[in-house]
Amino acid sequence: MAKENKTNINRRQFLKSTAIAAASMAAIGAGVTYIQKYKRDENNAQELLRPPGAIDEDAFLYACIKCGLCVQICPVHAIKFAGINEDLAYGTPYINAREQACDFSCDSIQCAETCPTAALYFIQFKEAGLKAIEAVQQQGPEALKNINPFEVQVVAMKKVTHIGVAKLNEKTCLAVKGKGFSGTPRGENFNGVLRPQSIKNQDGSKIRKAYPLKEQKYEREICDLCVTECPIGEEAITLKKTTNPDGSVSYKPNVLEGCTGCGVCEMICPTEPASIVIEAGKTYEEVYS
Ligand code: SF4
Ligand code: SF4
Ligand code: SF4
């Protein structure tokens, strides 16, 4: 049913966008294609990412009307408009995770919720959230006393996000080298913000607001910032500890199937360039099998 809806929506939006494209071309009186084709650079490992819920790239280029609502609503300003020199169709929204990742600060995938054309397809998030709430309700009134349904819904919605998959560069990763980290991960001049996962409010509750990363200091004997700040948690990434035959211990961030490709790990990684980057639009199997 969901697939059928998606197809119908895509067809409608295709017709709508085609009409807009035709009108624009007539207006400028030139044979220039209004919607530029996304040119994928096979040699560029750090492709720019589409916002959460983006439909298949070809359909996205027709469905997105470049209205900018997703850009405006994102509380951490993760979403930007592609400029004329960027490797995406001009004027469409994208995320550069190294500069500012989607840390799910909005708590409800607001970019997709606000998209008027389903270029960012929200139904999948809504369905996941409702299903999670129903599961809580079925546990009865006693269970409900200890569960925050909003929190359950938010977690479920985050988990169905698929922007890409994180990939580790073992050659440069500090943890693999047995090194720690101390200080602000991206330095004093970095402008990105992050809602921290490993730092809590004084009463132990989760921090709900994103803060400038340059104000957040970390002390780690073995660097594990990508692991502890991941908004998804241990279903997405863990720090794997291995005891070697000689008794020494080695570490490695281990990306798991729950990775959404949100890019927080890429943004916070203190090495330059980042030792963990998002492979845009890829599945876990494509990256790790
Ligand atoms: S889901 Fe992420 S990118 Fe979209 S509005 Fe929320 S924080 Fe921004
Ligand atoms: S809200 Fe939807 S249609 Fe508007 S720019 Fe974003 S993706 Fe495109
Ligand atoms: S490992 Fe975590 S922080 Fe990194 S992209 Fe995946 S979900 Fe996001």
Side-chain angles (χ1 to χ4, degrees):
M1 186 65 181
K3 197 173 177 187
E4 195 178 301
N5 284 343
K6 193 170 174 177
T7 309
N8 287 340
I9 290 164
N10 288 346
R11 190 176 301 125
R12 262 204 321 274
Q13 293 316 320
F14 171 83
L15 293 171
K16 190 175 174 185
S17 298
T18 304
I20 291 167
S24 303
M25 284 166 69
I28 60 177
V32 179
T33 308
Y34 178 65
I35 299 173
Q36 295 175 19
K37 182 77 184 153
Y38 171 23
K39 286 183 248 119
R40 197 178 276 271
D41 179 1
E42 297 299 336
N43 299 316
N44 182 4
Q46 282 184 280
E47 286 168 0
L48 300 172
L49 313 170
R50 289 299 189 192
I55 56 176
D56 176 72
E57 183 66 19
D58 284 341
F60 182 86
L61 288 174
Y62 286 107
C64 174
I65 56 170
K66 309 174 182 182
C67 66
L69 288 176
C70 57
V71 177
Q72 283 180 48
I73 206 158
C74 177
V76 295
H77 308 295
I79 308 174
K80 312 280 186 212
F81 279 126
I84 203 136
N85 294 322
E86 271 152 326
D87 195 21
L88 287 168
Y90 178 56
T92 57
Y94 75 95
I95 294 175
N96 180 340
R98 187 64 171 156
E99 296 304 315
Q100 179 58 60
C102 160
D103 68 349
F104 298 106
S105 274
C106 64
D107 270 339
S108 56
I109 326 289
Q110 286 179 6
C111 48
E113 194 172 8
T114 198
C115 178
T117 71
L120 306 178
Y121 189 65
F122 185 67
I123 305 301
Q124 59 196 316
F125 301 113
K126 191 174 172 186
E127 284 176 351
L130 289 175
K131 218 168 145 189
I133 287 181
E134 273 168 28
V136 170
Q137 285 167 341
Q138 278 167 12
Q139 290 177 41
E142 265 318 296
L144 274 171
K145 284 182 191 162
N146 304 318
I147 296 172
N148 177 345
F150 172 71
E151 195 66 46
V152 169
Q153 181 187 23
V154 164
V155 170
M157 289 169 81
K158 284 180 194 170
K159 283 183 182 172
V160 294
T161 303
H162 180 74
I163 300 174
V165 175
K167 188 170 186 197
L168 184 75
N169 181 349
E170 293 185 31
K171 289 185 182 145
T172 57
C173 171
L174 295 177
V176 175
K177 290 179 178 176
K179 291 187 177 172
F181 177 77
S182 171
T184 54
R186 300 291 306 282
E188 303 293 334
N189 297 321
F190 183 67
N191 290 322
V193 298
L194 176 67
R195 181 161 73 171
Q197 301 293 323
S198 65
I199 303 170
K200 301 273 190 274
N201 288 315
Q202 280 183 337
D203 64 1
S205 60
K206 282 184 184 174
I207 291 177
R208 293 245 166 242
K209 187 170 175 274
Y211 289 93
L213 195 51
K214 63 187 171 196
E215 291 176 8
Q216 297 175 33
K217 291 207 164 62
Y218 295 87
E219 294 288 340
R220 300 290 161 85
E221 280 184 28
I222 294 292
C223 182
D224 61 353
L225 298 179
C226 56
V227 176
T228 64
E229 298 309 319
C230 170
I232 303 300
E234 60 186 18
E235 288 175 42
I237 188 166
T238 57
L239 189 67
K240 195 173 168 191
K241 182 178 172 186
T242 307
T243 304
N244 304 311
D246 65 0
S248 63
V249 177
S250 44
Y251 296 89
K252 191 180 102 170
N254 191 28
V255 179
L256 303 167
E257 280 184 72
C259 173
T260 63
C262 71
V264 164
C265 51
E266 181 176 329
M267 179 171 76
I268 201 168
C269 179
T271 68
E272 202 56 66
S275 297
I276 188 162
V277 297
I278 310 307
E279 300 254 336
K282 298 250 174 82
T283 63
Y284 185 82
E285 288 70 31
E286 282 172 330
V287 176
Y288 287 100
S289 59

